[in-house]
Amino acid sequence: GHEVVGLARSDEAAERIAAAGAEVRRGDLDDLAGLRAGAADADAVVHLAYIHDFSNIGASAAADEAAIAAFGDELAGSGRPLVFASGVGVARRIGDDVDASAPGGHRFAAGRAALALAARGVRPVLVGLPPTVHGDGDKAFVPALIDVARRTGISAYPGDGTNRWSAVHRLDAARAFRLAAEHAPAGSALQVAGDDGIELREIASVIGEQLGLPVASAEPSHFGWLAAFLAMDAAAESGPTRELLGWEPVEAGLLDDLRHGTYFAG
């Protein structure tokens, strides 16, 4: 029901935005004047972009904070919403004294900077997403875990596999962002998950089922760069979000999506 303008830094991204029925605005996160101009024309800003360059996290963090500051400068005094994506762990602990120099601490610093814009007449809302936003187009942790299984011949999980992994379908996440822009009070820190916590051994079991591979525990070295992420207990608490926004996930959960979606096509 809204007219949407999407920021595109490439021709491919512009084509995807246009195909979804939205208007295209060319630019990138480093074009702060362009971000301010886009915000000036908008009733609400939904900030989903992040530069996932793990070789230079400092630069990625600086770009994110600069973008948030640019949006804040433009939206100040207007009462318009700035809805921005972070992680469920940040949403759960945003009020804690997390050092910005600690691993992942830059996301807390950015979140606090954005929520502080409420004092300048902005309506900031943090939407904490799970480690997996699943569905068509997922290129992150679950596809990487499937790739490890294919390469090694074992669908594995770390330790006893009881670490929990939260997830949300991309279309359910989209509805949460819309509802947050429409209704969430300034300073809200929301956790958005369709599955608040699935044990990793359950995920490995479905991957093994789909690939016809044995399922077993494995040492951290088996998972390569994934090991540090899989070691986390990444559960979510979506109940307060559901109550506040009237949001209910209606799409397939992660395990059903693995069984019936496109993860094993081709």
Side-chain angles (χ1 to χ4, degrees):
H2 297 286
E3 296 179 6
V4 178
V5 180
L7 185 69
R9 64 178 179 176
S10 67
D11 291 341
E12 181 185 1
E15 290 172 2
R16 290 201 305 270
I17 290 170
E23 181 183 335
V24 175
R25 186 182 189 99
R26 293 302 294 263
D28 58 46
L29 284 186
D30 295 323
D31 177 14
L32 300 182
L35 297 184
R36 285 191 289 267
D41 294 335
D43 295 318
V45 174
V46 180
H47 174 40
L48 303 173
Y50 188 79
I51 301 170
H52 286 90
D53 181 1
F54 295 120
S55 67
N56 195 344
I57 291 176
S60 297
D64 190 41
E65 292 194 42
I68 289 170
F71 289 136
D73 288 343
E74 188 57 47
L75 298 174
S78 70
R80 286 177 287 167
L82 170 61
V83 184
F84 60 100
S86 190
V88 291
V90 176
R92 184 168 56 247
R93 300 177 56 208
I94 192 64
D96 295 351
D97 185 19
V98 178
D99 189 341
S101 64
H106 60 287
R107 302 310 302 269
F108 287 88
R112 286 193 289 264
L115 293 180
L117 292 171
R120 298 179 60 196
V122 182
R123 180 160 62 87
V125 180
L126 185 159
V127 175
L129 293 170
T132 287
V133 179
H134 60 93
D136 292 347
D138 182 5
K139 299 177 182 177
F141 296 120
V142 169
L145 193 58
I146 292 169
D147 182 61
V148 170
R150 282 184 164 132
R151 287 190 290 103
T152 63
I154 300 172
S155 182
Y157 52 84
D160 62 5
T162 57
N163 277 19
R164 294 167 296 170
W165 198 255
S166 52
V168 66
H169 192 281
R170 65 189 186 95
L171 298 181
D172 286 325
R175 282 187 282 272
F177 276 99
R178 175 179 62 78
L179 290 168
E182 291 172 346
H183 305 300
S188 299
L190 311 176
Q191 298 178 56
V192 173
D195 295 302
D196 279 354
I198 308 172
E199 291 187 350
L200 283 170
R201 60 187 177 188
E202 291 186 73
I203 297 173
S205 179
V206 176
I207 292 173
E209 166 192 307
Q210 295 299 305
L211 295 177
L213 295 175
V215 179
S217 175
E219 295 297 320
S221 58
H222 178 86
F223 302 97
W225 64 269
L226 272 173
F229 297 98
L230 297 177
M232 299 186 300
D233 188 54
E237 299 170 2
S238 63
T241 300
R242 300 181 190 215
E243 183 176 350
L244 178 68
L245 299 182
W247 172 77
E248 286 295 334
V250 297
E251 306 295 334
L254 176 58
L255 298 182
D256 282 345
D257 206 2
L258 282 169
R259 289 188 172 103
H260 306 296
T262 60
Y263 280 92
F264 300 94

